[in-house]
Short mmCIF file of all heavy atoms in Angstrom, two decimals:
data_model
loop_
_atom_site.label_atom_id
_atom_site.label_comp_id
_atom_site.label_asym_id
_atom_site.label_seq_id
_atom_site.Cartn_x
_atom_site.Cartn_y
_atom_site.Cartn_z
N TYR A 1 0.84 -1.17 -0.04
CA TYR A 1 -0.05 -0.03 -0.02
C TYR A 1 0.87 1.25 -0.01
O TYR A 1 2.07 1.17 0.42
CB TYR A 1 -0.98 -0.04 1.13
CG TYR A 1 -0.47 0.63 2.44
CD1 TYR A 1 -1.20 1.71 2.97
CD2 TYR A 1 0.64 0.20 3.14
CE1 TYR A 1 -0.83 2.31 4.17
CE2 TYR A 1 1.01 0.78 4.30
CZ TYR A 1 0.31 1.79 4.81
OH TYR A 1 0.69 2.36 6.00
N PRO A 2 0.41 2.34 -0.55
CA PRO A 2 1.25 3.49 -0.77
C PRO A 2 1.74 4.26 0.46
O PRO A 2 1.03 4.36 1.43
CB PRO A 2 0.41 4.45 -1.62
CG PRO A 2 -0.95 4.08 -1.26
CD PRO A 2 -1.04 2.62 -0.91
N THR A 3 2.93 4.77 0.37
CA THR A 3 3.48 5.66 1.38
C THR A 3 3.86 6.98 0.73
O THR A 3 3.83 7.09 -0.51
CB THR A 3 4.69 5.06 2.05
OG1 THR A 3 5.66 4.70 1.08
CG2 THR A 3 4.32 3.84 2.88
N ALA A 4 4.12 7.94 1.50
CA ALA A 4 4.38 9.34 0.99
C ALA A 4 5.65 9.35 0.13
O ALA A 4 6.65 8.75 0.40
CB ALA A 4 4.53 10.30 2.13
N GLY A 5 5.46 10.16 -0.95
CA GLY A 5 6.62 10.42 -1.83
C GLY A 5 7.28 9.27 -2.45
O GLY A 5 8.49 9.25 -2.59
N SER A 6 6.57 8.21 -2.81
CA SER A 6 7.14 7.02 -3.36
C SER A 6 6.51 6.67 -4.74
O SER A 6 5.40 7.00 -4.96
CB SER A 6 7.01 5.91 -2.38
OG SER A 6 5.65 5.54 -2.18
N SER A 7 7.30 5.97 -5.48
CA SER A 7 6.79 5.49 -6.82
C SER A 7 6.42 4.03 -6.65
O SER A 7 7.24 3.23 -6.25
CB SER A 7 7.96 5.64 -7.82
OG SER A 7 7.65 4.89 -8.97
N ALA A 8 5.15 3.79 -7.00
CA ALA A 8 4.61 2.42 -6.82
C ALA A 8 5.40 1.38 -7.67
O ALA A 8 5.67 0.32 -7.20
CB ALA A 8 3.17 2.42 -7.23
N ALA A 9 5.77 1.78 -8.88
CA ALA A 9 6.49 0.80 -9.74
C ALA A 9 7.86 0.50 -9.16
O ALA A 9 8.28 -0.61 -9.14
CB ALA A 9 6.58 1.44 -11.16
N ALA A 10 8.57 1.53 -8.74
CA ALA A 10 9.94 1.39 -8.27
C ALA A 10 10.00 0.63 -6.96
O ALA A 10 10.93 -0.12 -6.67
CB ALA A 10 10.65 2.65 -8.16
N GLU A 11 8.94 0.89 -6.08
CA GLU A 11 8.99 0.30 -4.76
C GLU A 11 8.12 -0.96 -4.55
O GLU A 11 7.86 -1.39 -3.44
CB GLU A 11 8.67 1.39 -3.75
CG GLU A 11 9.69 2.53 -3.78
CD GLU A 11 9.60 3.46 -2.53
OE1 GLU A 11 8.77 3.15 -1.68
OE2 GLU A 11 10.36 4.39 -2.52
N SER A 12 7.57 -1.48 -5.64
CA SER A 12 6.85 -2.70 -5.56
C SER A 12 7.81 -3.78 -5.13
O SER A 12 9.01 -3.77 -5.40
CB SER A 12 6.16 -3.06 -6.87
OG SER A 12 7.10 -3.12 -7.92
N GLN A 13 7.33 -4.77 -4.38
CA GLN A 13 8.17 -5.88 -3.83
C GLN A 13 7.69 -7.17 -4.41
O GLN A 13 6.62 -7.24 -4.94
CB GLN A 13 8.03 -5.79 -2.37
CG GLN A 13 8.53 -4.52 -1.72
CD GLN A 13 8.46 -4.47 -0.19
OE1 GLN A 13 8.70 -5.50 0.52
NE2 GLN A 13 8.07 -3.28 0.40
N PRO A 14 8.52 -8.21 -4.26
CA PRO A 14 9.78 -8.37 -3.47
C PRO A 14 10.96 -7.63 -4.15
O PRO A 14 11.04 -7.45 -5.39
CB PRO A 14 10.11 -9.90 -3.58
CG PRO A 14 8.81 -10.49 -3.99
CD PRO A 14 8.12 -9.49 -4.83
N PHE A 15 11.91 -7.18 -3.32
CA PHE A 15 13.19 -6.64 -3.77
C PHE A 15 14.18 -7.77 -3.94
O PHE A 15 14.03 -8.88 -3.31
CB PHE A 15 13.76 -5.65 -2.74
CG PHE A 15 13.06 -4.28 -2.82
CD1 PHE A 15 12.24 -3.83 -1.76
CD2 PHE A 15 13.20 -3.45 -3.96
CE1 PHE A 15 11.66 -2.55 -1.82
CE2 PHE A 15 12.53 -2.20 -4.06
CZ PHE A 15 11.79 -1.79 -2.98
N TYR A 16 15.21 -7.51 -4.70
CA TYR A 16 16.17 -8.59 -5.06
C TYR A 16 17.63 -8.02 -4.99
O TYR A 16 17.88 -6.89 -5.42
CB TYR A 16 15.95 -9.08 -6.45
CG TYR A 16 16.98 -10.02 -7.00
CD1 TYR A 16 17.13 -11.34 -6.54
CD2 TYR A 16 17.86 -9.64 -8.01
CE1 TYR A 16 18.10 -12.19 -7.02
CE2 TYR A 16 18.83 -10.46 -8.54
CZ TYR A 16 18.94 -11.71 -8.04
OH TYR A 16 19.88 -12.58 -8.54
N VAL A 17 18.51 -8.83 -4.39
CA VAL A 17 20.00 -8.59 -4.52
C VAL A 17 20.59 -9.97 -4.96
O VAL A 17 20.09 -11.00 -4.60
CB VAL A 17 20.64 -8.14 -3.20
CG1 VAL A 17 20.17 -6.75 -2.83
CG2 VAL A 17 20.37 -9.04 -2.08
N ASN A 18 21.62 -9.85 -5.73
CA ASN A 18 22.16 -11.10 -6.33
C ASN A 18 23.22 -11.81 -5.50
O ASN A 18 23.60 -12.90 -5.77
CB ASN A 18 22.73 -10.88 -7.76
CG ASN A 18 24.01 -10.04 -7.74
OD1 ASN A 18 24.28 -9.35 -6.77
ND2 ASN A 18 24.77 -10.11 -8.82
N SER A 19 23.66 -11.19 -4.39
CA SER A 19 24.76 -11.72 -3.59
C SER A 19 24.44 -11.50 -2.12
O SER A 19 24.03 -10.42 -1.67
CB SER A 19 26.03 -11.04 -3.94
OG SER A 19 27.17 -11.60 -3.17
N PRO A 20 24.63 -12.57 -1.32
CA PRO A 20 25.00 -13.88 -1.70
C PRO A 20 23.80 -14.74 -2.17
O PRO A 20 22.66 -14.51 -1.68
CB PRO A 20 25.65 -14.54 -0.43
CG PRO A 20 24.91 -13.78 0.63
CD PRO A 20 24.65 -12.41 0.17
N TYR A 21 23.99 -15.71 -3.01
CA TYR A 21 23.00 -16.62 -3.43
C TYR A 21 22.00 -16.12 -4.44
O TYR A 21 21.60 -16.78 -5.37
CB TYR A 21 22.28 -17.34 -2.30
CG TYR A 21 23.09 -18.04 -1.32
CD1 TYR A 21 23.20 -17.58 -0.01
CD2 TYR A 21 23.80 -19.17 -1.68
CE1 TYR A 21 24.00 -18.28 0.95
CE2 TYR A 21 24.64 -19.81 -0.76
CZ TYR A 21 24.72 -19.36 0.54
OH TYR A 21 25.54 -20.08 1.41
N GLY A 22 21.55 -14.90 -4.21
CA GLY A 22 20.35 -14.41 -4.86
C GLY A 22 19.30 -14.34 -3.76
O GLY A 22 18.70 -15.43 -3.38
N ILE A 23 18.97 -13.21 -3.23
CA ILE A 23 18.01 -13.06 -2.19
C ILE A 23 16.85 -12.17 -2.58
O ILE A 23 17.04 -11.10 -3.09
CB ILE A 23 18.67 -12.54 -0.87
CG1 ILE A 23 19.90 -13.23 -0.47
CG2 ILE A 23 17.67 -12.53 0.28
CD1 ILE A 23 20.68 -12.68 0.64
N LEU A 24 15.64 -12.60 -2.30
CA LEU A 24 14.45 -11.75 -2.50
C LEU A 24 13.79 -11.56 -1.18
O LEU A 24 13.78 -12.53 -0.31
CB LEU A 24 13.50 -12.44 -3.48
CG LEU A 24 14.10 -12.57 -4.89
CD1 LEU A 24 14.39 -14.03 -5.12
CD2 LEU A 24 13.14 -11.99 -5.92
N MET A 25 13.09 -10.43 -0.98
CA MET A 25 12.53 -10.15 0.26
C MET A 25 11.29 -9.29 0.14
O MET A 25 11.28 -8.34 -0.69
CB MET A 25 13.54 -9.49 1.27
CG MET A 25 13.00 -9.16 2.63
SD MET A 25 14.26 -8.47 3.78
CE MET A 25 15.34 -9.92 4.00
N GLY A 26 10.26 -9.56 0.84
CA GLY A 26 9.07 -8.70 1.04
C GLY A 26 8.86 -8.41 2.53
O GLY A 26 9.15 -9.21 3.38
N HIS A 27 8.41 -7.20 2.81
CA HIS A 27 8.44 -6.67 4.15
C HIS A 27 7.12 -5.99 4.41
O HIS A 27 6.63 -5.22 3.62
CB HIS A 27 9.62 -5.76 4.28
CG HIS A 27 9.58 -4.84 5.53
ND1 HIS A 27 9.92 -3.52 5.43
CD2 HIS A 27 9.26 -5.05 6.80
CE1 HIS A 27 9.82 -2.94 6.62
NE2 HIS A 27 9.41 -3.85 7.43
N ASN A 28 6.60 -6.25 5.66
CA ASN A 28 5.43 -5.51 6.11
C ASN A 28 5.91 -4.83 7.46
O ASN A 28 6.22 -5.45 8.36
CB ASN A 28 4.26 -6.50 6.40
CG ASN A 28 3.10 -5.75 7.08
OD1 ASN A 28 2.89 -4.58 6.89
ND2 ASN A 28 2.38 -6.52 7.90
N GLY A 29 5.83 -3.47 7.45
CA GLY A 29 6.20 -2.75 8.68
C GLY A 29 7.00 -1.54 8.31
O GLY A 29 6.84 -0.98 7.20
N ASN A 30 7.80 -0.98 9.22
CA ASN A 30 8.56 0.20 9.02
C ASN A 30 9.70 0.22 9.97
O ASN A 30 9.58 -0.05 11.14
CB ASN A 30 7.68 1.46 9.27
CG ASN A 30 8.42 2.71 9.04
OD1 ASN A 30 8.86 2.98 7.90
ND2 ASN A 30 8.59 3.54 10.00
N LEU A 31 10.84 0.47 9.42
CA LEU A 31 12.15 0.62 10.21
C LEU A 31 12.24 2.09 10.72
O LEU A 31 12.24 3.00 9.92
CB LEU A 31 13.41 0.25 9.36
CG LEU A 31 13.39 -1.16 8.88
CD1 LEU A 31 14.75 -1.36 8.10
CD2 LEU A 31 13.22 -2.20 9.93
N THR A 32 12.28 2.25 12.00
CA THR A 32 12.40 3.56 12.53
C THR A 32 13.82 4.14 12.50
O THR A 32 14.02 5.36 12.68
CB THR A 32 11.88 3.61 14.02
OG1 THR A 32 12.59 2.57 14.76
CG2 THR A 32 10.44 3.35 14.08
N ASN A 33 14.82 3.29 12.28
CA ASN A 33 16.16 3.77 12.09
C ASN A 33 16.65 3.58 10.65
O ASN A 33 17.86 3.34 10.38
CB ASN A 33 17.08 3.11 13.08
CG ASN A 33 17.25 1.61 12.83
OD1 ASN A 33 16.33 1.00 12.29
ND2 ASN A 33 18.40 1.00 13.23
N SER A 34 15.78 3.76 9.70
CA SER A 34 16.12 3.48 8.29
C SER A 34 17.22 4.41 7.80
O SER A 34 18.15 4.01 7.08
CB SER A 34 14.86 3.67 7.39
OG SER A 34 15.16 3.40 6.06
N GLU A 35 17.13 5.69 8.16
CA GLU A 35 18.16 6.68 7.67
C GLU A 35 19.53 6.33 8.19
O GLU A 35 20.53 6.38 7.46
CB GLU A 35 17.76 8.11 8.09
CG GLU A 35 16.52 8.60 7.35
CD GLU A 35 16.32 10.09 7.62
OE1 GLU A 35 17.14 10.70 8.31
OE2 GLU A 35 15.25 10.59 7.17
N GLN A 36 19.65 5.96 9.44
CA GLN A 36 20.94 5.53 10.04
C GLN A 36 21.46 4.29 9.29
O GLN A 36 22.66 4.24 8.93
CB GLN A 36 20.78 5.23 11.50
CG GLN A 36 22.05 4.63 12.12
CD GLN A 36 21.81 4.06 13.49
OE1 GLN A 36 20.85 4.43 14.16
NE2 GLN A 36 22.65 3.11 13.89
N LEU A 37 20.63 3.31 9.01
CA LEU A 37 21.01 2.16 8.30
C LEU A 37 21.46 2.40 6.87
O LEU A 37 22.43 1.81 6.41
CB LEU A 37 19.88 1.12 8.32
CG LEU A 37 19.46 0.50 9.67
CD1 LEU A 37 18.18 -0.29 9.55
CD2 LEU A 37 20.63 -0.36 10.20
N GLN A 38 20.78 3.34 6.23
CA GLN A 38 21.22 3.72 4.86
C GLN A 38 22.67 4.31 4.86
O GLN A 38 23.48 4.00 3.98
CB GLN A 38 20.23 4.75 4.27
CG GLN A 38 18.90 4.14 3.89
CD GLN A 38 18.04 5.10 3.07
OE1 GLN A 38 18.48 5.68 2.01
NE2 GLN A 38 16.84 5.38 3.52
N ARG A 39 22.93 5.08 5.88
CA ARG A 39 24.30 5.67 5.92
C ARG A 39 25.30 4.53 6.18
O ARG A 39 26.39 4.52 5.58
CB ARG A 39 24.36 6.70 7.07
CG ARG A 39 23.63 8.00 6.75
CD ARG A 39 23.97 9.11 7.71
NE ARG A 39 23.63 8.72 9.07
CZ ARG A 39 22.54 8.99 9.69
NH1 ARG A 39 21.55 9.64 9.05
NH2 ARG A 39 22.26 8.62 10.89
N GLU A 40 24.96 3.60 7.07
CA GLU A 40 25.89 2.47 7.35
C GLU A 40 26.06 1.61 6.12
O GLU A 40 27.21 1.22 5.87
CB GLU A 40 25.35 1.64 8.49
CG GLU A 40 25.33 2.35 9.86
CD GLU A 40 24.65 1.51 10.87
OE1 GLU A 40 24.24 0.40 10.60
OE2 GLU A 40 24.52 2.03 12.03
N LEU A 41 25.00 1.38 5.42
CA LEU A 41 25.13 0.55 4.23
C LEU A 41 26.00 1.16 3.17
O LEU A 41 26.84 0.52 2.49
CB LEU A 41 23.75 0.21 3.65
CG LEU A 41 22.81 -0.76 4.43
CD1 LEU A 41 21.40 -0.67 3.95
CD2 LEU A 41 23.41 -2.11 4.33
N PHE A 42 25.88 2.49 3.06
CA PHE A 42 26.65 3.19 2.00
C PHE A 42 28.16 3.39 2.48
O PHE A 42 29.04 3.14 1.67
CB PHE A 42 26.01 4.56 1.74
CG PHE A 42 26.79 5.38 0.75
CD1 PHE A 42 26.74 5.08 -0.68
CD2 PHE A 42 27.53 6.44 1.11
CE1 PHE A 42 27.41 5.83 -1.56
CE2 PHE A 42 28.26 7.22 0.21
CZ PHE A 42 28.22 6.92 -1.14
#
């Protein structure tokens, strides 16, 4: 379901990363420390 300022096509799930193995994920909820995690990931 939609959230603010997002593109439905780009943010439709499951998301995919190819390493390791090839992982797909779908998520229901919200991370309250998402911005901090994005900085750590980058």
Side-chain angles (χ1 to χ4, degrees):
Y1 91 120
T3 53
S6 64
S7 165
E11 298 196 2
S12 55
Q13 299 182 36
F15 283 114
Y16 170 73
V17 291
N18 70 341
S19 179
Y21 301 115
I23 309 174
L24 297 108
M25 183 178 288
H27 163 224
N28 174 31
N30 182 61
L31 300 183
T32 52
N33 65 334
S34 180
E35 290 189 5
Q36 173 192 337
L37 290 171
Q38 286 190 56
R39 289 193 299 270
E40 293 175 1
L41 287 167
F42 178 75

